[in-house]
């Protein structure tokens, strides 16, 4: 493994793990705050049990997210020093603000975890809300930095120099809103379905049914709503990609030839030699409509992009298809849940219905990883779109493969620890919590 591949692999591994920790860390505090509010209003001790159980999960993911996020910060400087040399002064503001949000979240979480019976009930609840708000803001700020890499702005690039730097314009670049919206909704969808699936499993096993039923309902409402809204945010993101990153869009769709009535391809195996997609289902004109709101308008294909500037088409296409396929499936499951609530309440206790949500437990995170793959692989070979190539940003330091092996060991060990702690937490009988 050469150093360039090792550096890219290490960054991919780190981001792949951290994105799960961070998304759960963004969303779980919201669920926790909702349950806590219900406890304050109803004085039902079951909601207190749920709140305290979820707060322990929040603490676990806050700690692992902090560790993996700190490692990522060091990796940016270790693996990509030339990138940080030029990009740091430009997009450093969202990272700095993310640090502030992180510290606020840490302080609020401390108040919340140790505030039972010590703080005014509404102030205590407000600290939990602050954990959720600051967590979501942290996620949006980090995505803002990533969106700058896809849509660089806030500077003039003249003769290899980065001049007239405007950090505010860089932070609120052309892609930040669409990416932040898409990522935030994805976090709620993935976490909502994962949490709901775990509680559905406990209901299916007939363990502490009241506890798990109430917890399931809080989680799935957010997960289902997010899944239903996700295609709308995806459409916004795709239109931005078509405008700013046509190579990424073409790779997502395995769209080789520029044409009017551009077809949308569902599935298929891209053949990069013959420049075609085998076994795919083509919907004529649909890609033109999705991109331009017009069935006739031309869409730029890979044939208009130099080969050296094209991303890996099969990886990008497969990841995109996985993301969209899972997104549509979770959307349908979400619709089924609301149908059950409104018209078919007997479904809620049926085995097939519970199994549906148990099956869906990991799907959101698989889609999340696939979407992140589209974002990052689809931008290659650029680390800053059309400005700096990834190969030009990598460290000249040798032996990066050993760093990759070390970080791989750390992340897998960290994940095993998280799995162990969560399994122990899930198995705990909720009655152990103080309900007085």
């Amino acid at each position: 493994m050469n150093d360039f591949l090792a550096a890219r692999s290490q960054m991919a591994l780190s981001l792949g793990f951290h994105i799960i920790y961070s998304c759960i860390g963004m969303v779980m505090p919201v669920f926790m705050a909702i349950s806590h509010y219900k406890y304050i209003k109803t004085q039902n001790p079951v909601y207190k049990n749920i709140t305290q159980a979820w707060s322990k999960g929040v603490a676990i993911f806050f700690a692992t997210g902090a560790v993996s996020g700190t490692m990522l910060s060091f990796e940016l400087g270790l693996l990509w020093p030339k990138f940080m040399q030029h990009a740091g002064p430009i997009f450093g503001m969202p990272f700095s603000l993310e640090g502030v949000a992180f510290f606020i979240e840490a302080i609020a979480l401390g108040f919340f975890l140790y505030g039972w019976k010590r703080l005014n009930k509404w102030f205590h609840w407000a600290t939990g809300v602050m954990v959720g708000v600051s967590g979501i803001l942290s996620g949006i700020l980090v995505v803002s930095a990533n969106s700058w890499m896809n849509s660089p702005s806030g500077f003039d690039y003249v003769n290899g120099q980065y001049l007239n730097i405007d950090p505010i314009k860089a932070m609120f670049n052309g892609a930040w809103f669409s990416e932040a919206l898409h990522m935030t909704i994805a976090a709620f969808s993935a976490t909502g379905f994962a949490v709901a699936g775990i509680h559905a499993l406990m209901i299916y096993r007939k363990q502490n049914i009241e506890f798990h039923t109430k917890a399931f309902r809080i989680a799935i409402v957010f997960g289902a709503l997010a899944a239903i809204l996700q295609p709308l945010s995806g459409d916004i993101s795709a239109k931005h990609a078509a405008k700013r990153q046509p190579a990424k869009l073409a790779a997502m769709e395995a769209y080789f030839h520029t044409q009017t009535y551009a077809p949308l391809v569902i599935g298929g195996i891209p053949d990069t030699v013959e420049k075609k997609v085998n076994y795919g289902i083509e919907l004529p004109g649909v890609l033109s409509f999705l991109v331009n709101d017009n069935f006739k308008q031309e869409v730029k294909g890979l044939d208009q992009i130099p080969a050296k500037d094209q991303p890996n088409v099969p990886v990008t296409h497969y990841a995109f298809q996985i993301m969209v396929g899972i997104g549509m499936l979770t959307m349908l499951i979400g619709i089924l849940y609301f149908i059950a609530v409104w018209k078919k309440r007997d479904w809620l206790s049926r085995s097939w219905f519970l199994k549906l949500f148990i099956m869906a437990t990991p799907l959101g995170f698989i889609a999340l990883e696939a979407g992140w793959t589209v974002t990052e692989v689809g931008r290659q070979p650029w680390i800053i779109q059309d400005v700096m190539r990834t190969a030009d940003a990598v460290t000249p330091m040798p032996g990066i493969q050993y760093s990759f092996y070390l970080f791989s060991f750390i992340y897998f060990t960290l994940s095993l620890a998280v799995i162990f702690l969560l399994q122990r937490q899930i198995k705990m009988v909720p009655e152990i919590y103080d309900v007085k």
Side-chain angles (χ1 to χ4, degrees):
M1 179 183 292
N2 62 46
D3 289 335
F4 180 53
L5 179 59
R8 289 189 64 188
S9 299
Q10 182 173 325
M11 204 70 193
L13 177 79
S14 302
L15 286 167
F17 278 103
H18 180 67
I19 195 172
I20 294 176
Y21 302 148
S22 60
C23 285
I24 295 174
M26 288 169 61
V27 175
M28 278 301 297
V30 176
F31 297 172
M32 180 183 75
I34 296 294
S35 177
H36 192 192
Y37 178 81
K38 285 179 173 288
Y39 167 66
I40 293 173
K41 296 298 289 185
T42 66
Q43 291 299 301
N44 185 336
V46 174
Y47 284 117
K48 184 178 182 181
N49 287 344
I50 295 170
T51 304
Q52 292 184 319
W54 279 348
S55 69
K56 294 182 185 297
V58 169
I60 291 170
F61 282 103
F62 178 83
T64 52
V67 172
S68 60
T70 302
M71 290 169 66
L72 270 171
S73 300
F74 283 111
E75 286 178 44
L76 284 172
L78 173 69
L79 303 176
W80 315 104
K82 295 180 182 178
F83 166 69
M84 292 304 295
Q85 176 187 354
H86 298 292
I90 304 172
F91 80 155
M93 180 171 286
F95 277 127
S96 300
L97 294 175
E98 192 274 336
V100 174
F102 173 80
F103 284 122
I104 293 173
E105 182 180 6
I107 294 167
L109 182 59
F111 273 113
F112 188 83
L113 292 175
Y114 298 102
W116 294 98
K117 299 183 180 179
R118 295 180 177 88
L119 301 174
N120 172 275
K121 63 180 181 180
W122 287 111
F123 178 78
H124 186 212
W125 174 76
T127 62
V129 173
M130 185 57 64
V131 174
V133 171
S134 55
I136 292 172
L137 286 176
S138 291
I140 291 174
L141 288 165
V142 170
V143 171
S144 173
N146 179 265
S147 67
W148 177 84
M149 297 163 70
N150 294 321
S151 179
S153 60
F155 66 98
D156 294 325
Y157 186 63
V158 182
N159 297 325
Q161 299 294 315
Y162 296 78
L163 307 173
N164 303 321
I165 293 173
D166 184 346
I168 299 297
K169 188 175 180 181
M171 184 167 68
F172 296 105
N173 58 81
W176 85 268
F177 176 76
S178 61
E179 286 197 26
L181 178 66
H182 195 57
M183 186 67 201
T184 303
I185 294 176
F188 272 92
S189 177
T191 306
F193 271 93
V195 174
I198 291 170
H199 289 292
L201 178 62
M202 296 298 106
I203 297 169
Y204 180 77
R205 292 177 175 175
K206 302 188 184 305
Q207 297 180 7
N208 304 298
I209 291 177
E210 183 182 6
F211 174 92
H212 291 294
T213 298
K214 291 183 183 302
F216 170 83
R217 289 175 180 172
I218 293 172
I220 197 55
V221 165
F222 283 94
L225 280 174
I228 293 169
L229 292 173
Q230 189 68 294
L232 300 177
S233 69
D235 179 64
I236 295 171
S237 294
K239 283 181 166 62
H240 279 280
K243 180 180 178 181
R244 296 180 172 85
Q245 296 177 291
K248 177 186 285 187
L249 179 76
M252 287 159 55
E253 300 291 348
Y255 177 61
F256 291 101
H257 305 288
T258 302
Q259 56 186 297
T260 56
Y261 292 98
L264 179 73
V265 177
I266 299 176
I269 301 174
D271 185 337
T272 55
V273 176
E274 297 294 329
K275 309 298 182 185
K276 64 179 182 178
V277 180
N278 298 316
Y279 313 114
I281 301 172
E282 286 196 359
L283 304 177
V286 175
L287 183 60
S288 290
F289 177 77
L290 291 175
V291 171
N292 303 305
D293 297 323
N294 185 320
F295 285 101
K296 299 180 181 180
Q297 194 163 337
E298 181 180 275
V299 177
K300 186 177 182 179
L302 289 166
D303 57 348
Q304 292 192 17
I305 298 165
K308 63 184 179 66
D309 295 337
Q310 294 180 13
N312 186 306
V313 174
V315 171
T316 308
H317 178 70
Y318 294 142
F320 180 68
Q321 295 293 312
I322 290 170
M323 178 186 69
V324 172
I326 292 177
M328 297 305 294
L329 178 59
T330 53
M331 181 184 73
L332 290 175
I333 295 173
I335 291 172
L336 274 178
Y337 172 75
F338 287 119
I339 290 174
V341 170
W342 292 330
K343 298 290 184 181
K344 301 284 185 178
R345 296 195 68 86
D346 59 305
W347 286 3
L348 297 173
S349 58
R350 298 283 181 86
S351 293
W352 68 267
F353 193 75
L354 293 171
K355 287 179 181 178
L356 193 62
F357 290 94
I358 295 169
M359 175 203 71
T361 301
L363 292 184
F365 288 116
I366 296 172
L368 198 69
E369 296 286 6
W372 196 251
T373 300
V374 171
T375 297
E376 295 303 294
V377 176
R379 189 179 62 247
Q380 301 306 313
W382 305 99
I383 192 167
I384 307 175
Q385 184 69 44
D386 298 325
V387 175
M388 177 183 285
R389 291 180 179 271
T390 309
D392 296 332
V394 71
T395 178
M397 184 180 71
I400 294 299
Q401 68 267 28
Y402 301 111
S403 172
F404 169 61
Y405 301 144
L406 175 62
F407 275 72
S408 298
F409 174 76
I410 292 172
Y411 275 110
F412 280 110
T413 302
L414 188 63
S415 296
L416 289 175
V418 170
I419 292 169
F420 169 76
L421 291 171
L422 289 178
Q423 281 185 326
R424 189 176 70 171
Q425 182 65 26
I426 291 168
K427 290 178 181 178
M428 291 172 66
V429 180
E431 280 78 3
I432 68 170
Y433 296 109
D434 180 14
V435 297
K436 294 180 182 179

